[in-house]
Amino acid sequence: MLIEECPFIEPVDAYGAFAPFADSHFLDSGDRDRYAYIAVSPFHKLTAKNGQVTLDGFAVPGNPFDVLGDLLARYRREKQEDLPPFQGGVVGYFGYELAHQTETLPVADDDWLEMPDMAVGIYDLVISFDLHQRRMWLISTGMPAPENQARAQRAAERMTMLRKYLRLARPLFDVPDVPHQPDITTWASNFDPAAYQHAVGKVIEYIFAGDIFQANLSQSFRAEYAQGSIPERFGLYRRLSTVSSAPFGAFLNFGDVAVLSNSPERFLKVTDGVVETRPIKGTRARGETPILDAELAQELMLSAKDRAENVMIIDLLRNDISKVCKPHSVKTPTICALESYANVHHLVSTVTGKLDDDATAIDLLAACFPGGSITGAPKIRAMEIITELEQTTRGAYCGAIGYIGFDGSMDTNIAIRTICMNKGRMAFNVGGGIVADSQPDHEYAETMVKAAKMFEALGIVR
């Protein structure tokens, strides 16, 4: 593996040199986390749709998780300790509908975006950033060439290519006022306000009938744009990350498909076999004055409804990660801690565990997928109700975005605050957890609070 430390460049500036190229991805952390990564030019590309797995353009048999696990096992290598954690491996997204590969679930009639259920690449070229130390490294592993002179030669050749493109990086001083969005039709939701509130009421009926304790219900805002008039997607991502900074941002460019995510929520992290998940449940808008802001934060922290919702998801996640963790290793070090972001306050908890000796990060991902904080409890019945009421696929939304390293490490977000684009269409979802004492009008208002920053990034006044 070749490693070259370079003079530090802001990650967003460095990625500007690669943003136009398909299969170049940016895992961002804004100003709230330590590391950021750029991955370019994968040596394998893997997608899945409705159970059909495609590797480098050819159909292959098997469950997508198993195929990915077998593929990644070929390239197992230990990490170098004095570098940021991700040093090559898998980058991409695992869409919500990938749950059909682990559970028997109803299929939504409306697949408006027609996105792959999973889209990832396996990357031998990575630019890693340590934002605390203001340091930056170019990493070229030489994979998939054999472990001999051929790998060293490939690593050198690929490093030369990486340096060449990085020279094109320029400071991006100004975030675009409004991204270029020609020929975009009016944004519209798959629910009108009354219909969404009616759906909330149906969830509450299911709760009182004993089917579930809670379910996450979302609405999808959609728009179309003329082919050949694709909005400037990286500019849109820059606005999204500026108006609402979060620690688990991502810009994924697959060509026709693009995913722009600015999530505050970690799904699953694995470091040296230690597992961490950080569910978010409970939201309040930020106040316009410091006093009002503090009052809203205090209201959230004292809310029995929001705490109950959060604790239910803690129990669900403890159960999920226990499937692949050592007995008695699952702990909950933090329950309902307050975290504040640009437009909302959240309640955030932390659940940890220790992977079984024979379990991998991909086993963990499959065991927990999708995250309980965006399904409900019990998970399977909640997902059945979500499909019944939303009647549309979610795509990357409420799936996971992130990396799985050659060394077995992993860090993924819950893909909320996420815009998905494919072949002339774009969409984002906003939702919330519905429990027995939810009020339909308040739940609708909460989704619109979450949508506000998305519309601001899009330059839309509503």
Side-chain angles (χ1 to χ4, degrees):
M1 182 166 71
L2 288 182
I3 302 163
E4 180 178 309
E5 185 167 2
C6 300
F8 184 82
I9 303 172
E10 292 293 340
V12 69
D13 296 342
Y15 184 71
F18 302 96
F21 302 108
D23 302 305
S24 64
H25 304 322
F26 179 31
L27 300 182
D28 192 6
S29 60
D31 58 359
R32 300 182 67 103
D33 202 17
R34 179 169 182 175
Y35 301 112
Y37 305 98
I38 295 169
V40 299
S41 186
F43 60 85
H44 285 312
K45 294 189 284 186
L46 190 68
T47 61
K49 181 70 174 178
N50 299 328
Q52 177 61 66
V53 183
T54 302
L55 175 62
D56 299 330
F58 296 93
V60 295
N63 177 287
F65 290 110
D66 294 337
V67 173
L68 180 59
D70 291 344
L71 192 63
L72 196 56
R74 299 180 195 174
Y75 306 110
R76 174 78 187 188
R77 63 166 295 131
E78 296 305 313
K79 67 182 177 183
Q80 185 163 317
E81 293 297 336
D82 55 349
L83 293 173
F86 181 57
Q87 300 164 19
V90 174
V91 179
Y93 76 83
F94 303 86
Y96 179 85
E97 277 67 43
L98 206 58
H100 290 277
Q101 306 311 310
T102 59
E103 304 290 347
T104 301
L105 296 165
V107 177
D109 294 331
D110 178 13
D111 186 16
W112 192 76
L113 274 175
E114 298 182 340
M115 293 180 65
D117 298 336
M118 177 181 79
V120 301
I122 301 184
Y123 290 84
D124 59 313
L125 287 178
V126 177
I127 305 175
S128 293
F129 302 84
D130 184 327
L131 304 182
H132 289 182
Q133 297 184 5
R134 307 287 287 176
R135 298 176 70 185
M136 166 182 162
W137 295 265
L138 311 185
I139 299 172
S140 178
T141 68
M143 292 184 181
E147 184 75 76
N148 55 25
Q149 186 175 358
R151 182 173 291 185
Q153 181 177 345
R154 175 177 166 85
E157 291 172 351
R158 299 274 282 169
M159 181 69 84
T160 298
M161 182 190 77
L162 194 59
R163 289 193 211 101
K164 174 184 174 183
Y165 282 100
L166 188 59
R167 292 191 192 105
L168 301 175
R170 297 291 184 271
L172 301 175
F173 295 111
D174 298 319
V175 176
D177 288 336
V178 177
H180 182 50
Q181 299 181 63
D183 304 318
I184 291 182
T185 61
T186 302
W187 282 83
S189 172
N190 63 328
F191 285 104
D192 61 33
Y196 185 82
Q197 292 177 54
H198 177 74
V200 171
K202 291 290 293 182
V203 173
I204 294 170
E205 289 178 13
Y206 278 120
I207 292 170
F208 280 107
D211 284 52
I212 53 172
F213 298 107
Q214 67 167 296
N216 183 288
L217 183 69
S218 73
Q219 58 175 320
S220 174
F221 286 93
R222 303 167 170 186
E224 297 188 51
Y225 53 89
Q227 285 287 13
S229 302
I230 297 177
E232 203 287 288
R233 301 182 296 191
F234 188 48
L236 176 54
Y237 171 77
R238 290 169 60 212
R239 273 188 58 88
L240 179 63
S241 60
T242 299
V243 301
S244 182
S245 179
F248 303 107
F251 178 81
L252 307 180
N253 177 2
F254 295 98
D256 285 336
V257 172
V259 180
L260 295 64
S261 184
N262 192 42
S263 175
E265 183 169 357
R266 169 171 281 141
F267 179 28
L268 294 167
K269 181 180 182 180
V270 178
T271 305
D272 298 325
V274 176
V275 176
E276 178 186 85
T277 181
R278 302 186 72 244
I280 292 176
K281 276 298 171 188
T283 302
R284 290 293 185 278
R286 297 297 301 264
E288 295 182 358
T289 67
I291 292 175
L292 178 58
D293 192 55
E295 289 175 350
L296 289 167
Q298 184 76 358
E299 175 189 302
L300 176 60
M301 293 180 69
L302 296 176
S303 168
K305 178 257 189 188
D306 289 296
R307 291 185 66 88
E309 188 179 342
N310 195 297
V311 170
M312 277 190 281
I313 297 305
I314 290 173
D315 288 343
L316 190 158
L317 284 167
R318 284 174 56 88
N319 178 71
D320 280 352
I321 70 172
S322 292
K323 298 173 187 176
V324 290
C325 281
K326 294 178 184 294
H328 313 298
S329 71
V330 177
K331 310 293 182 186
T332 311
T334 305
I335 298 176
C336 296
L338 180 73
E339 292 190 5
S340 300
Y341 294 85
N343 62 320
V344 292
H345 298 291
H346 287 308
L347 293 182
V348 186
S349 297
T350 304
V351 182
T352 61
K354 180 70 174 178
L355 272 183
D356 283 333
D357 293 336
D358 59 351
T360 68
I362 294 176
D363 295 330
L364 175 69
L365 185 64
C368 298
F369 197 87
S373 67
I374 42 70
T375 57
K379 181 187 279 189
I380 304 307
R381 184 66 182 120
M383 293 175 71
E384 292 171 347
I385 291 168
I386 287 168
T387 301
E388 173 195 333
L389 298 177
E390 293 186 6
Q391 300 183 3
T392 183
T393 57
R394 287 179 164 186
Y397 173 72
C398 286
I401 298 170
Y403 71 77
I404 306 170
F406 290 132
D407 67 316
S409 63
M410 176 169 70
D411 204 358
T412 57
N413 75 8
I414 291 283
I416 54 179
R417 300 185 192 170
T418 296
I419 298 171
C420 298
M421 306 174 68
N422 186 27
K423 296 180 180 178
R425 292 181 170 184
M426 58 197 303
F428 69 86
N429 287 47
V430 285
I434 312 303
V435 294
D437 57 352
S438 291
Q439 299 179 45
D441 57 337
H442 290 180
E443 295 297 338
Y444 178 78
E446 180 179 316
T447 67
M448 297 309 295
V449 168
K450 294 174 179 176
K453 289 296 179 182
M454 308 295 285
F455 284 121
E456 183 180 341
L458 291 157
I460 295 171
V461 178
R462 293 179 65 87

